[in-house]
Structure formats: C-alpha cells, structure tokens
Amino acid sequence: MRTKRKGRGMRAPLSQYEIKIYNKGLQYSQPINILRFEKKVVKMTNIIKGGILFLSELMKRGFAEKCLQELMRCFEETVVTEKINTKLLTNAELKIYEIDINPRYWGQASRKQKHKYKPLFTSIIDRLGMQKLKAITRMLLQQKDLEIINC
C-alpha cells in the first residue's frame, strides 16, 4: 500500500469500495501499533441502496450500527495470513498453504479458485496459526464496535 507518510499496510480494491488495513501508529510515529481496518466507499450505491442519503442520517444510531455490521462482514471475508508449523500439515494442505500465503495469489485467482481454496486456507490458519491474529483482531473490533455504539 502506498502512503504519503511512512507506514505499511494492504489494500484490496473492489468495484464499489476498497478495504484498507494498515498500522496507523506507524504512519503517525506513535510508540504503539494502532490497527486501522477501513472500508473506503468509492460508489455511493454501496451505501444508499434505493434511497437518498442526507448528511443528518450519518448521526443516527441505526446508521452507525449498520456501518459497523458491514465493516465486520468485510473483516470476516478478509484473508488473514500468519506463520504456522508446516510440519503439522498434510501434503495437500501444505500445497494449499504455500500457494495461498502469497497475497498476489488472491489478486490473480479466479472467482472459482477463491471460492474453492479460501475456506481450506482459512481452516488451516484458524487451526494452526501461531498468533491467532484473526480471532484476536475480531475480538478487538467487536469491543470497539460496542464502545462506539454505547457512545
């Protein structure tokens, strides 16, 4: 991901929106890591879906809750990779892991390939991931959601 300041991250551009994940703390030279998981809407049809959106609607509780639900849905679809003990894999699982650990694979894979291999790869990571990054991040996002909703 290109940034104006220093930083590291990944972005996944889609037709109506893009997902960005990056270290906001590094971007602003903070002493701690601050994960930013963002859905950047490119086409408003993704938000409006049949109605006109007014600026005042952004402040309504229901709108914020829908946005947070949509953000969590996007997070669940995100592939999170991490190191595993490959000695625990079968030969078939090892082949899947070695192909799918490469982020460029996901950009080049066909829809059919993604549909087939994503659940297999996710299962391997969920079962053997050394840091449980997706589970921990999911929990932190849910905590932040509750904090925002209760404001």
Side-chain angles (χ1 to χ4, degrees):
M1 186 170 104
R2 291 187 183 133
T3 59
K4 292 176 184 171
R5 297 186 170 112
K6 63 182 175 181
R8 266 177 52 186
M10 297 293 291
R11 62 185 276 280
L14 299 154
S15 61
Q16 295 187 1
Y17 62 92
E18 74 177 33
I19 299 297
K20 297 194 299 187
I21 303 170
Y22 57 98
N23 184 345
K24 195 75 172 173
L26 183 62
Q27 183 182 11
Y28 287 96
S29 302
Q30 297 296 310
I32 59 171
N33 293 322
I34 303 168
L35 177 72
R36 175 86 177 246
F37 183 81
E38 174 182 325
K39 178 180 179 181
K40 178 182 174 184
V41 175
V42 179
K43 294 187 180 178
M44 287 299 287
T45 55
N46 189 257
I47 292 179
I48 297 173
K49 294 187 181 169
I52 297 172
L53 180 68
F54 295 98
L55 194 56
S56 61
E57 293 178 59
L58 298 176
M59 298 304 292
K60 292 182 180 174
R61 182 182 195 99
F63 185 79
E65 289 174 0
K66 285 180 186 177
C67 289
L68 292 170
Q69 288 171 359
E70 178 61 16
L71 194 63
M72 286 304 295
R73 185 192 66 74
C74 290
F75 175 75
E76 291 304 331
E77 289 181 5
T78 303
V79 176
V80 176
T81 63
E82 61 180 284
K83 293 189 187 272
I84 64 168
N85 183 352
T86 55
K87 293 176 184 173
L88 300 174
L89 298 175
T90 66
N91 286 340
E93 289 174 328
L94 182 60
K95 185 177 178 181
I96 291 168
Y97 178 77
E98 287 175 344
I99 291 169
D100 294 353
I101 195 74
N102 181 352
R104 288 182 174 74
Y105 164 78
W106 295 102
Q108 299 167 352
S110 70
R111 178 177 241 142
K112 185 177 179 181
Q113 289 171 315
K114 289 176 187 176
H115 184 71
K116 180 179 179 182
Y117 289 109
K118 183 179 173 186
L120 299 172
F121 181 71
T122 300
S123 166
I124 292 168
I125 297 297
D126 288 348
R127 193 176 78 233
L128 300 172
M130 294 178 180
Q131 295 177 298
K132 305 296 182 201
L133 293 173
K134 186 145 187 182
I136 291 169
T137 305
R138 178 186 301 111
M139 180 193 65
L140 293 170
L141 285 171
Q142 289 169 339
Q143 287 175 354
K144 186 55 79 172
D145 284 359
L146 288 174
E147 188 180 313
I148 290 169
I149 290 170
N150 291 326
C151 277

